[in-house]
Amino acid sequence: MEDMLTTEYDGCGHCLVAVRRLSRKTDKTSSPQRQGDQDLMAAADAGGHIIAWADDWEVSGATDPMTRKGLGPWLRGEMGPYDGIVAPTVDRVGRNVRDTLNTQTLLTGQRRVIVTADQAGVWDFTDPNQENEWLIKAWGSQMELRAIQKRNRDETVRARMRWHLEQMAVHQAIVIGRHTA
């Protein structure tokens, strides 16, 4: 996918790195293809073009974007010139308010742009309304992450309890079997 849908960096000011991230690559709700299509559409709508794909598969949203294998090298300045990033949604950038705000601050401090498919055009962080919308989406993403983490912890506890109860039933059956024999 990435070879066919990228162009060279040309210094036009609209050369974007497309961000895709999935905790589970098999997740159909945010599939790689769907995220790619959203990135392509958002880049085109903002007058940009994609020069590279920063893909992070099997990576939790709780992972700091700076340390991700796909996006991190771009943010750290290790991959060459680019003018900004494009992502399907704010939560693909990060699911932690601090990390998402740090990424936004880093990019805008370098005079790079951020485009997401859930926002018309380039984000304008000098506009208090857009700045607040970015923060709200980051906060919502973090709240969703916390709910997912809690659900996973609760399921682990439930599974362990079920296993423990099953082991007790097996032990009880063995003990009862010894007494009736």
Side-chain angles (χ1 to χ4, degrees):
M1 174 181 215
E2 62 187 67
D3 291 337
M4 294 174 32
L5 303 174
T6 61
T7 58
E8 296 293 319
Y9 177 83
D10 61 13
C12 69
H14 303 287
C15 301
L16 304 173
V17 173
V19 175
R20 297 185 295 178
R21 183 200 56 76
L22 276 177
S23 299
R24 291 181 184 85
K25 197 170 180 184
T26 58
D27 184 359
K28 300 296 181 211
T29 61
S30 296
S31 71
Q33 183 64 47
R34 181 174 175 199
Q35 288 186 44
D37 292 345
Q38 290 172 312
D39 283 346
L40 289 166
M41 182 69 73
D45 288 349
H49 59 103
I50 295 172
I51 62 164
W53 294 89
D55 291 336
D56 289 301
W57 308 132
E58 306 294 327
V59 175
S60 168
T63 304
D64 182 347
M66 293 289 286
T67 65
R68 289 172 17 194
K69 288 183 181 181
L71 182 56
W74 288 98
L75 296 176
R76 295 188 306 267
E78 300 168 359
M79 297 300 288
Y82 69 107
D83 300 316
I85 64 170
V86 58
T89 55
V90 174
D91 73 325
R92 298 298 102 182
V93 175
R95 283 191 180 258
N96 176 296
V97 171
R98 180 184 58 248
D99 292 342
T100 306
L101 292 178
N102 286 345
T103 301
Q104 175 261 313
T105 300
L106 172 76
L107 290 169
T108 55
Q110 296 170 344
R111 299 192 184 280
R112 292 194 166 111
V113 298
I114 301 174
V115 176
T116 59
D118 62 350
Q119 161 72 22
V122 174
W123 282 90
D124 177 5
F125 295 105
T126 64
D127 177 346
N129 292 324
Q130 289 193 36
E131 181 182 44
N132 286 332
E133 184 179 350
W134 178 266
L135 175 60
I136 289 166
K137 288 181 177 186
W139 186 29
S141 298
Q142 180 171 309
M143 289 171 44
E144 184 178 20
L145 173 66
R146 298 299 184 255
I148 291 166
Q149 290 171 331
K150 182 179 183 327
R151 186 172 58 242
N152 290 343
R153 281 190 309 270
D154 290 351
E155 179 56 24
T156 299
V157 168
R158 188 202 64 74
R160 285 181 183 157
M161 181 60 77
R162 181 174 178 180
W163 180 85
H164 181 69
L165 291 173
E166 288 172 357
Q167 293 303 307
M168 286 177 52
V170 168
H171 178 72
Q172 226 174 16
I174 291 170
V175 170
I176 292 171
R178 286 184 190 159
H179 291 298
T180 58

